[in-house]
């Protein structure tokens, strides 16, 4: 039998466990998990000594396109993702202009086809003006769902009140994703701080109670409307407990940043390069709660919240420096490092970075190594030790908060629908990305 691509001799992570297998891909989809020795292909990859994972997904990125090319573009962001072992990204709508209407959805879809190096989905941003149209917009090709900024945003993307959030939840039926911080508490506490104070004040201003109140309110509205929700970048012990008790209503995303860095140490070491929303917490109990929730299954998805800003902007004093960290290129090495450190299994990593996003967002043909699924593959060398450095970062921002961090476990191949995009740290094929299709 002839295939377009055969991957031989790899240790494959299937939904049912790990096993040695030879995988055949034809017409962009997985066609066989039991390729014979006599079968041939246009291209054969010998994966001896490597693990073969379903294509890993980063379902929370800000590629800043349109509007901020000095920080990131769709092309550079998907290049960075491919170099980091990611086969698909879901891009946030807070660009300039925002992705909140059909004109911009059409533009973004075409831009993906013209420039993306891996597959891309896009969130439609909820505004008060477009709320009645969200039921239509969430059905558009390439849309992974609705995103609501209930705190920490500007302009028309902010919907902070219960009435506005409830209206969003009553327009459509797919799961709605939330930035969950209580804007009213954020505004009140802002008066307690001044520009130029230590960076660790970021976690004091946007304290745990801001996040807890936001999630409590949104969860109550989910129950009232019957609409499922996805709480992004959960960062507090109380939220993990609450959301674990409400699995019928809510799914949970955790960021690699909240699993890797802790305050106040990270603020002293990184300065503005540790400033993000919700913040890296100064209390260790929240860090430990995140890992406990990841280990016991309460976490559905691990993402990066890749949100680049130019280096000079991040070096400004606190309250002047913008919030957001680079991350799409480093999430896989960091998580592989956590696997090798014994903090989670490789199977669990695949669950939260492939099967989890597919389940939460309704991806019918990605997220697992199975016949008929897209030929998306992430090849990793679990024994390879590397040091993450700024000069490896493909983003125009040119920095990572993990500069100088040594990890064991590294992505060595990124395959998108059977097309080898990255191999051994080199982008070998470009512009293969397409908008992703979701269940209605």
């Amino acid at each position: 039998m002839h295939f377009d691509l055969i991957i031989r001799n790899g240790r494959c992570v299937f939904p049912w466990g790990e096993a040695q297998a030879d995988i055949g891909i034809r017409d962009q989809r997985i066609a066989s998990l039991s390729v014979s020795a006599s079968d041939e292909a246009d291209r054969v990859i010998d994966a001896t000594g490597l693990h073969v994972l379903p294509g890993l997904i980063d379902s929370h990125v800000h590629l800043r396109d349109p509007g901020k090319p000095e920080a990131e573009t769709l092309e550079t962001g998907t290049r960075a993702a491919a170099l980091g072992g990611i086969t698909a990204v879901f891009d946030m709508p807070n660009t300039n202009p925002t992705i909140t209407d059909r004109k911009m959805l059409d533009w973004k879809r075409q831009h993906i086809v013209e420039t993306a190096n891996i597959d891309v989905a896009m969130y439609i941003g909820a505004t008060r003006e477009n709320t009645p149209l969200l039921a239509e917009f969430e059905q558009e090709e390439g849309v992974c769902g609705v995103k609501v900024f209930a705190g920490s945003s500007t302009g028309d993307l902010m919907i902070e009140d219960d009435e506005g959030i409830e209206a969003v939840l009553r327009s459509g039926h797919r799961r709605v994703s939330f930035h969950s911080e209580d804007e009213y508490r954020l505004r009140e506490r802002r008066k307690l701080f001044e520009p130029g104070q230590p960076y660790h004040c970021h976690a004091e201003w946007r304290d745990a109670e801001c996040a807890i109140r936001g999630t409590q309110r949104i969860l109550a509205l989910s129950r009232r409307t019957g609409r499922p929700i996805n709480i992004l970048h959960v960062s507090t012990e109380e939220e993990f407990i609450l959301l674990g008790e409400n699995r019928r209503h809510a799914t949970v995303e955790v960021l690699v940043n909240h699993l890797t860095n802790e305050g106040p140490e990270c603020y002293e070491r990184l300065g503005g390069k540790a400033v993000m929303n919700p913040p890296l917490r100064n209390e260790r109990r929240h860090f430990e709660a995140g890992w406990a929730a990841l280990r016991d299954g309460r976490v559905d998805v691990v993402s990066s919240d890749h949100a680049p800003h130019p280096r000079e902007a991040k070096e400004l004093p606190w309250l002047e420096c913008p919030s957001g960290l680079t991350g799409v290129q480093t999430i896989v090495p960091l998580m592989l490092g956590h696997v090798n450190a014994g903090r989670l299994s490789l199977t669990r990593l695949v669950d939260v970075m492939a099967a989890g996003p597919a389940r939460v967002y309704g991806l019918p043909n990605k997220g697992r190594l199975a016949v008929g699924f897209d030929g998306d593959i992430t090849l990793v060398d679990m024994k390879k030790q590397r040091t993450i450095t700024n000069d490896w970062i493909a983003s125009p921002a040119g920095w990572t908060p993990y500069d100088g961090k040594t990890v064991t476990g590294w992505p060595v191949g990124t395959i998108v629908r059977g097309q080898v995009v990255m191999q051994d740290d080199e982008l070998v094929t470009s512009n293969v990305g397409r908008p992703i299709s979701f269940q209605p």
Side-chain angles (χ1 to χ4, degrees), residues 19-79:
Q20 201 84 11
D22 294 343
I23 295 178
I25 298 173
R26 186 191 304 116
D27 297 330
Q28 303 190 25
R29 296 184 182 275
I30 297 172
S32 175
L33 303 179
S34 55
V35 172
S36 72
S38 61
D39 289 335
E40 299 178 342
D42 296 338
R43 184 169 187 171
V44 177
I45 294 177
D46 182 0
T48 300
L50 303 179
H51 279 77
V52 182
L53 314 183
L56 298 181
I57 299 167
D58 190 344
S59 57
H60 187 161
V61 302
H62 299 258
L63 299 187
R64 309 299 195 197
D65 202 348
K68 203 170 184 179
E70 69 277 14
E72 197 69 279
T73 66
L74 195 65
E75 193 282 325
T76 59
T78 55
R79 175 184 294 266

Side-chain angles (χ1 to χ4, degrees), residues 208-264:
E209 188 64 23
C210 288
I212 295 162
R213 288 188 187 182
T215 295
Q216 288 172 333
R217 290 173 50 215
I218 293 164
L219 186 58
L221 292 168
S222 172
R223 291 197 204 96
R224 181 188 301 175
T225 61
R227 183 80 175 270
I229 58 174
N230 181 37
I231 302 298
L232 300 170
H233 37 50
V234 177
S235 62
T236 71
E237 181 181 18
E238 289 83 353
E239 286 176 285
F240 288 117
I241 293 170
L242 178 65
L243 293 167
E245 295 169 346
N246 287 272
R247 298 293 292 171
R248 180 169 174 262
H249 303 281
T251 51
V252 175
E253 176 200 75
V254 171
L255 301 184
V256 64
N257 297 317
H258 288 119
L259 296 171
T260 306
N261 276 328
E262 298 179 72

Side-chain angles (χ1 to χ4, degrees), residues 84-235:
I86 296 292
T87 62
V89 292
F90 299 177
D91 193 22
M92 287 294 173
N94 55 333
T95 50
N96 185 20
T98 55
I99 310 301
T100 54
D101 58 32
R102 184 163 284 106
K103 176 183 177 182
M104 289 307 299
L105 285 173
D106 290 342
W107 178 88
K108 192 68 168 273
R109 266 190 298 268
Q110 185 60 34
H111 197 47
I112 291 168
V113 171
E114 293 170 350
T115 65
N117 295 299
I118 61 171
D119 286 349
V120 179
M122 49 189 166
Y123 292 84
I124 180 77
T127 71
R128 299 182 193 280
E129 291 72 24
N130 74 3
T131 292
L133 299 172
L134 291 176
E136 298 177 26
F137 288 157
E138 70 174 12
Q139 298 296 316
E140 293 270 346
E141 177 71 11
V143 173
C144 61
V146 173
K147 167 67 181 289
V148 179
F149 292 87
S152 183
S153 191
T154 57
D156 62 355
L157 277 175
M158 175 75 76
I159 301 181
E160 73 276 26
D161 59 294
D162 286 6
E163 182 180 5
I165 293 172
E166 181 172 348
V168 170
L169 292 177
R170 293 192 183 281
S171 181
H173 69 276
R174 292 178 62 193
R175 191 176 299 274
V176 179
S177 293
F178 283 88
H179 180 122
S180 175
E181 288 182 286
D182 188 274
E183 181 65 16
Y184 303 106
R185 182 173 176 85
L186 285 175
R187 292 173 186 171
E188 184 62 30
R189 289 184 60 76
R190 171 63 181 82
K191 303 170 187 175
L192 304 176
F193 300 93
E194 297 178 358
Q197 288 185 283
Y199 291 102
H200 68 75
C201 291
H202 195 68
E204 297 173 15
W205 167 33
R206 312 180 82 97
D207 66 354
E209 188 64 23
C210 288
I212 295 162
R213 288 188 187 182
T215 295
Q216 288 172 333
R217 290 173 50 215
I218 293 164
L219 186 58
L221 292 168
S222 172
R223 291 197 204 96
R224 181 188 301 175
T225 61
R227 183 80 175 270
I229 58 174
N230 181 37
I231 302 298
L232 300 170
H233 37 50
V234 177
S235 62

Side-chain angles (χ1 to χ4, degrees), residues 28-30 119 365-366 368 370 372-377 417-418:
Q28 303 190 25
R29 296 184 182 275
I30 297 172
D119 286 349
N365 57 340
K366 292 184 184 291
R368 55 166 49 192
F373 277 62
D374 284 357
D376 295 347
I377 307 287
R417 288 176 284 104

Side-chain angles (χ1 to χ4, degrees), residues 401-417:
Y402 303 103
D403 179 52
K405 184 176 180 63
T406 298
V407 297
T408 302
W410 200 264
V412 296
T414 305
I415 300 168
V416 177
R417 288 176 284 104

